[in-house]
């Protein structure tokens, strides 16, 4: 008897749905969707990119407004050579690096300690937290003037008055702003930017799973071991983010130098740009200084974006 073999079922070919031609990447419907965004894009380019392009062009030109200056001409990289070979500009670069390292380093340590304290529940924590972030809410130039004229002013400042009441000899003659100008600026910046870093670190601490800390306590870990092996690895990304963002802000700091010392033995790169542009009226060199600051800030900002991206990736993976 001949066997009958049943035909095998045929596998249906997968149907590939292709988008209609009208929805192609650069199709007519696509342009209809993007068209309302064009004014915002044009405004963004005009406001942010064109000034930088103009600054970049000026940085390659001999352009001075001094009465005896020659006419405008192409200078090549001479302005950038002036930036990196002039002692005054090198000093401004070193002052910027020193103030940034000191302010960001001390602020990060203080912010971590304060965030650890505020992460515990206690009576009045909301009030304390609000008071702690108050310095960050003050306009930078107002904070600089307040510290320069109200706290560190020689003979009239709060610090001189307190030291005089404590019996410190010569307290009324301590000149913080003239004898220690960079230290005075660093103290003011630490006071203002520590709350900013503290907020980021506190957000990181409050996102930590309390069951992990409870499990560590049950396993016999003391507070230091829990902090080193559990808490610190968890807030590492938040700490990196606060350091990078703080570095971007401090590198571009101008208000504190202008409001407290007027650049006396404390000139940083932004203040050097201001003096070169408005006092020396050398627009070419001032533009080259500005381009150097922008390139440095872009490098730091790129690193910050990578840190934020990795932070968000970790948050998504932990869910």
């Amino acid at each position: 008897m001949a066997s009958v073999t049943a035909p095998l079922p045929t596998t249906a070919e997968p149907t590939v749905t292709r988008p209609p031609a009208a929805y192609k990447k650069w199709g007519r419907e696509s342009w209809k969707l993007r068209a309302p965004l064009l004014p915002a894009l044009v405004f963004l380019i005009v406001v942010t990119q064109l000034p930088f392009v103009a600054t970049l062009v000026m940085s390659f030109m001999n352009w001075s407004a001094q009465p005896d200056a020659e006419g405008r001409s192409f200078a090549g990289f001479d302005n950038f050579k002036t930036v990196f070979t002039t002692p005054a500009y090198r000093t401004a670069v070193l002052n910027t690096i020193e103030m940034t390292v000191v302010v960001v380093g001390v602020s990060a340590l203080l912010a971590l300690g304060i965030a650890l304290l505020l992460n515990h529940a206690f009576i009045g924590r909301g009030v304390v937290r609000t008071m702690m972030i108050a310095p960050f809410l003050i306009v930078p130039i107002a904070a600089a003037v307040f510290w320069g004229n109200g706290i560190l002013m020689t003979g009239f400042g709060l610090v001189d008055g307190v030291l005089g009441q404590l019996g410190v000899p010569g307290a009324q003659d301590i000149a913080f702003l003239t004898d220690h100008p960079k230290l005075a600026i660093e103290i003011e910046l630490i006071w203002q930017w520590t709350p900013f870093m503290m907020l980021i670190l506190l957000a990181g601490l409050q996102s930590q799973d309390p069951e992990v800390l409870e499990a560590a306590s049950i396993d016999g870990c003391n507070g230091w071991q829990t902090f080193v092996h559990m808490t610190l690895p968890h807030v590492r990304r938040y700490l990196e983010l606060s350091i990078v963002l703080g570095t971007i802000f401090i590198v571009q700091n101008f208000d504190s130098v202008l409001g407290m010392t007027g650049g006396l033995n404390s000139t940083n790169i932004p203040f050097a740009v201001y003096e070169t542009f408005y006092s020396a009226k050398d627009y070419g060199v001032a533009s080259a200084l500005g381009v150097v600051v922008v390139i440095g800030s872009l490098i730091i900002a790129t690193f910050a974006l990578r840190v934020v991206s990795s932070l968000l990736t970790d948050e998504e993976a932990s869910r």
Side-chain angles (χ1 to χ4, degrees):
M1 182 177 178
S3 61
V4 178
T5 303
L8 295 174
T10 57
T11 303
E13 291 292 334
T15 304
V16 178
T17 304
R18 298 182 182 278
Y23 290 94
K24 288 182 179 179
K25 184 176 181 181
W26 301 108
R28 181 181 302 174
E29 294 298 327
S30 176
W31 276 110
K32 288 182 179 179
L33 295 175
R34 293 189 175 98
L37 300 176
L38 284 179
L41 179 62
V42 172
F43 176 79
L44 185 66
I45 293 175
V46 170
V47 172
T48 63
Q49 302 305 311
L50 290 185
F52 177 71
V53 172
T55 303
L56 188 62
V57 172
M58 292 172 63
S59 67
F60 288 98
M61 297 182 65
N62 289 317
W63 191 339
S64 175
Q66 294 290 351
D68 57 345
E70 299 178 354
R72 283 171 285 182
S73 61
F74 182 70
F77 288 94
D78 290 348
N79 292 329
F80 292 93
K81 291 179 182 177
T82 301
V83 169
F84 290 107
T85 57
T86 303
Y89 294 137
R90 286 207 302 268
T91 302
V93 173
L94 293 177
N95 287 341
T96 304
I97 295 174
E98 177 187 338
M99 286 191 284
T100 302
V101 171
V102 172
V103 172
V104 174
V106 175
S107 298
L109 292 176
L110 290 176
L112 181 59
I114 298 172
L116 288 172
L117 292 175
L118 293 179
N119 194 39
H120 295 282
F122 58 87
I123 299 175
R125 184 175 66 168
V127 177
V128 174
R129 187 184 303 170
T130 304
M131 294 176 62
M132 291 301 301
I133 65 175
F136 179 63
L137 304 178
I138 299 176
V139 177
I141 186 62
V145 173
F146 171 69
W147 273 81
N149 294 278
I151 296 182
L152 299 179
M153 175 64 73
T154 304
F156 303 98
L158 177 63
V159 175
D160 281 3
V162 172
L163 293 178
Q165 292 296 324
L166 295 176
V168 177
Q172 302 298 319
D173 301 326
I174 300 176
F176 293 99
L177 300 178
T178 54
D179 294 345
H180 310 284
K182 286 187 289 187
L183 178 61
I185 293 174
E186 289 163 359
I187 292 173
E188 187 268 338
L189 289 173
I190 290 170
W191 170 79
Q192 187 166 35
W193 288 103
T194 295
F196 169 74
M197 295 185 177
M198 183 269 294
L199 282 177
I200 298 177
L201 294 176
L202 185 59
L205 289 173
Q206 292 185 346
S207 67
Q208 190 175 20
D209 189 357
E211 293 182 357
V212 175
L213 301 178
E214 185 179 354
S217 177
I218 294 174
D219 290 340
C221 295
N222 57 32
W224 176 252
Q225 291 172 330
T226 303
F227 171 74
V228 172
H229 299 290
M230 298 291 180
T231 303
L232 198 57
H234 176 74
V235 299
R236 181 178 65 85
R237 295 290 187 186
Y238 297 90
L239 187 61
E240 292 175 355
L241 176 64
S242 64
I243 290 175
V244 173
L245 293 179
T247 302
I248 293 174
F249 289 127
I250 301 303
V251 165
Q252 300 177 1
N253 171 64
F254 170 76
D255 307 84
S256 299
V257 178
L258 176 66
M260 295 182 67
T261 65
L264 176 65
N265 296 326
S266 57
T267 298
N268 60 353
I269 296 179
F271 193 81
V273 174
Y274 168 79
E275 283 195 321
T276 305
F277 195 91
Y278 288 102
S279 299
K281 299 186 184 302
D282 193 337
Y283 303 150
V285 175
S287 300
L289 272 170
V291 171
V292 171
V293 174
V294 170
I295 292 175
S297 300
L298 285 176
I299 294 173
I300 300 173
T302 301
F303 181 69
L305 291 175
R306 291 189 177 184
V307 171
V308 172
S309 177
S310 62
L311 183 63
L312 296 176
T313 303
D314 292 344
E315 291 289 340
E316 290 293 333
S318 62
R319 292 178 182 176

